[in-house]
Amino acid sequence: MLSISKIVSRTGTSVIAGTLLAMSAGFAAQAADQVRVRGTVESFEGKTLSVKTREGTDAKIMLKDDWKISSVAKASVDDIKPGDFVGIASMPTASGGDGALEVLIFPAAMKGTGEGSYAWDLKPNSSMTNATVADAVKSVDGRTVTVSYKGKEKKISIPDGTPVVTFAPATEADLKAGATVFVPSEKAADGSMSSGRVVVGTNGVVPPM
């Protein structure tokens, strides 16, 4: 498993930062014309990405001229440190509070991206919280983090086995049939979709967001 610092140093901070910052709007977008496509690649021809969505429908997404691509690399809950900026998809738990569905540790260059807590569509009633880690306390079955954003705080439990990832580089060659993708897209009035960014699964690690 590579540490986040090693991933960034191997790829060059400026290169990966430019790619990821170009992608950032899609993770915070809440407008009605924004759709998050999750599924597997059926084909990639020219600038048209065809995806079989997790709902079983077919989506054709036109990629913009300046589109960017990234993958995700496996990280660990032990990598989460105070001061880190994270994106945590979570849901209310039966015992109260929120339990994490996945954790994305942002590279330092993306700190502050989409800061806040808002509705998310990973699962019904889920939310996404992009915030700075104030503390991370070990518990019997995982870890509980306190995160702060815009003057607020939130405690989120991270059970053992929760997917934890960070961003890593990818190329167009990774968009092969069967690859898992997450594509923040814009849907026009005529139903057509376009996107400027794609997150693709590589090396057995899929986008959990």
Side-chain angles (χ1 to χ4, degrees):
M1 183 186 301
L2 291 177
S3 69
I4 296 170
S5 60
K6 287 182 179 178
I7 291 171
V8 174
S9 64
R10 285 189 179 187
T11 57
T13 302
S14 60
V15 174
I16 196 168
T19 299
L20 299 178
L21 288 171
M23 295 168 52
S24 62
F27 296 95
Q30 303 176 66
D33 61 351
Q34 297 288 327
V35 292
R36 303 179 187 98
V37 177
R38 300 173 175 88
T40 55
V41 175
E42 290 195 303
S43 64
F44 175 50
E45 299 178 4
K47 289 186 178 178
T48 301
L49 180 64
S50 297
V51 177
K52 175 67 73 173
T53 72
R54 67 175 183 177
E55 292 80 17
T57 59
D58 295 316
K60 288 191 179 297
I61 305 164
M62 179 61 66
L63 300 179
K64 299 177 181 180
D65 289 342
D66 59 348
W67 73 283
K68 307 294 182 184
I69 185 170
S70 175
S71 68
V72 287
K74 189 175 181 180
S76 165
V77 68
D78 293 327
D79 295 324
I80 302 171
K81 303 291 192 299
D84 285 346
F85 193 77
V86 296
I88 306 178
S90 63
M91 288 182 61
T93 65
S95 58
D98 271 25
L101 300 171
E102 60 85 23
V103 181
L104 169 67
I105 305 174
F106 284 98
M110 291 186 72
K111 187 167 186 175
T113 297
E115 183 179 12
S117 189
Y118 39 84
W120 196 244
D121 55 359
L122 182 58
K123 288 187 177 181
N125 300 318
S126 63
S127 62
M128 175 62 74
T129 303
N130 287 6
T132 300
V133 176
D135 63 45
V137 180
K138 289 185 178 180
S139 58
V140 174
D141 59 352
R143 185 165 302 214
T144 297
V145 297
T146 301
V147 295
S148 60
Y149 58 94
K150 297 183 176 179
K152 300 178 181 179
E153 282 194 345
K154 187 174 185 179
K155 287 186 180 293
I156 305 175
S157 61
I158 306 175
D160 289 336
T162 300
V164 180
V165 299
T166 187
F167 283 125
T171 68
E172 292 185 23
D174 292 312
L175 293 178
K176 50 194 174 186
T180 302
V181 290
F182 172 79
V183 192
S185 306
E186 300 168 8
K187 191 171 186 178
D190 63 2
S192 63
M193 288 189 288
S194 61
S195 179
R197 51 216 160 258
V198 178
V199 184
V200 60
T202 60
N203 301 315
V205 185
V206 301
M209 68 286 290

